[in-house]
Amino acid sequence: MTPVLDIDDLRITYHGSRGPIPAVRGVSLTLDPGETLGLAGESGCGKSTLAAAVLRLLPPGTEVTGRILLDGEDVLTMGWGRLRAVRWARASIVFQGAMHSLNPVQRIVRQIAEPIVLHEGVERAAAEDRAVELMAAVGLPAWRAKSYPHELSGGQRQRVMIAMALACSPDLIIADEATTALDVMIQAQVLRLLKSLVAERSIALVMISHDLSVLTDTCERLAVMYAGRLVEYGPAHEVFTTARHPYSEGLAGAFPTVGDTAARRRPRGLPGDPPDPAALPGGCPFHPRCPVALDACATTDVTLLDVRPGWRAACLRVPATKEADV
């Protein structure tokens, strides 16, 4: 089976007044049809840069090396005509700010129909009929078709974005912080919707968030990024509950346990902030914040090590934890 998405040694460097800024540093990922992958990490760890690179949405002048294969075809070597054909039709993105992504002076039915008209050459009336069907699929009533974006709630606008992403039946959807700005009830509805659509249509889904609990509930596998690299990659539930990298453990521990008084009184978390990509520390970039760092962590640049098949972590303590599991 050809993977829907195959990223190999992806490196992305921005160039600014301070010189080169490495935002993504050697990331490799694969995603098969119907699979779901959660991509987690704090702001500034490279998640959205990675997402934008999949469809070459990065700013001009950005240096990108490695490979990004969509159904076996390298996005980085596509001509502009081929790239325009791939966007929406083969892969699409749902961004966090739906209000900023929708045209405020066009009715939503027209906006959902637009990629169908452009990519499939369908007449406008037929495309709008399909748009209404897509609205029903994401839980929007047909009478909302003539609404403008400002007439919808935040959750409804996000559903419009999902309908647009589905318009041309893509193989891959990337949801970049798609539920972050929503209240918890609407967030739960949108997450259920994404899960059901993935199951019904065998769509591969990459979901990006800083919230490990959301990703664990939605995705089969979880990839945790720090300072532009993957630091842990494995089954979502196991990474969330028994993380092998201290950074993953810190992210998971930042969520309070409902009903646990001790956890409420002693909230866990991580001190400090992610490092400046233009001035990364030596060795493991997490070691200045790591509560269990070894002396060697300051000088050893650790790559991903096998915890077991299908689960890897970039930590010097991984061999010890493997032995403890035996």
Side-chain angles (χ1 to χ4, degrees):
M1 181 185 299
T2 301
V4 171
L5 178 66
D6 187 358
I7 298 175
D8 181 33
D9 194 26
L10 181 64
R11 299 174 185 271
I12 302 172
T13 304
Y14 297 116
H15 293 275
S17 58
R18 296 188 299 157
I21 302 173
V24 175
R25 304 183 301 132
V27 170
S28 297
L29 291 169
T30 60
L31 194 65
D32 290 327
E35 281 195 329
T36 52
L37 173 69
L39 191 59
E42 295 169 283
S43 296
C45 289
K47 309 184 303 299
S48 293
T49 294
L50 178 64
V54 172
L55 288 176
R56 275 173 52 187
L57 298 174
L58 295 168
T62 304
E63 181 183 344
V64 184
T65 62
R67 294 192 309 168
I68 304 173
L69 304 183
L70 276 176
D71 294 323
E73 190 173 1
D74 196 343
V75 173
L76 300 181
T77 61
M78 289 180 182
W80 284 110
R82 179 58 182 155
L83 184 61
R84 285 193 295 269
V86 164
R87 291 171 176 169
W88 292 106
R90 297 263 292 279
S92 55
I93 296 183
V94 181
F95 293 106
Q96 176 180 350
M99 195 63 182
H100 302 295
S101 302
L102 297 172
N103 189 328
V105 297
Q106 281 196 2
R107 301 181 191 275
I108 62 169
V109 67
R110 186 176 183 87
Q111 297 188 59
I112 298 171
E114 183 176 8
I116 301 173
V117 173
L118 293 177
H119 286 274
E120 301 182 13
V122 177
E123 293 292 331
R124 172 69 61 178
E128 291 191 359
D129 288 342
R130 278 178 54 184
V132 173
E133 294 174 3
L134 286 165
M135 288 174 57
V138 299
L140 285 172
W143 64 268
R144 279 296 191 186
K146 300 299 183 181
S147 298
Y148 291 96
H150 72 273
E151 296 176 313
L152 304 179
S153 69
Q156 289 173 326
R157 287 194 292 267
Q158 208 63 22
R159 289 168 185 264
V160 172
M161 289 295 299
I162 295 171
M164 291 174 65
L166 293 169
C168 296
S169 302
D171 300 319
L172 170 68
I173 290 180
I174 300 172
D176 188 2
E177 301 279 7
T179 63
T180 299
L182 305 177
D183 66 64
V184 292
M185 295 298 292
I186 301 302
Q187 182 185 73
Q189 293 173 16
V190 172
L191 290 175
R192 284 198 299 270
L193 171 63
L194 284 171
K195 289 173 69 174
S196 65
L197 291 172
V198 166
E200 292 168 6
R201 301 180 181 224
S202 295
I203 298 169
L205 172 69
V206 176
M207 189 161 185
I208 299 172
S209 178
H210 60 273
D211 189 332
L212 262 68
S213 61
V214 165
L215 296 179
T216 302
D217 184 55
T218 309
C219 302
E220 300 162 340
R221 290 188 291 156
L222 185 60
V224 181
M225 286 189 73
Y226 188 79
R229 285 185 176 177
L230 293 185
V231 296
E232 190 155 3
Y233 182 52
H237 180 72
E238 294 175 68
V239 172
F240 182 63
T241 56
T242 57
R244 298 307 171 88
H245 194 284
Y247 179 64
S248 306
E249 186 178 11
L251 287 180
F255 300 96
T257 303
V258 177
D260 187 341
T261 305
R264 186 175 70 248
R265 291 175 177 171
R266 293 190 301 274
R268 297 167 59 192
L270 293 169
D273 299 302
D276 182 347
L280 294 172
C284 172
F286 183 62
H287 85 265
R289 305 173 69 192
C290 183
V292 294
L294 305 171
D295 291 342
C297 296
T299 56
T300 306
D301 189 9
V302 188
T303 57
L304 288 168
L305 303 172
D306 287 331
V307 176
R308 61 172 173 75
W311 187 359
R312 310 183 75 195
C315 181
L316 290 175
R317 293 179 176 273
V318 166
T321 58
K322 287 173 65 179
E323 292 171 6
D325 287 341
V326 176

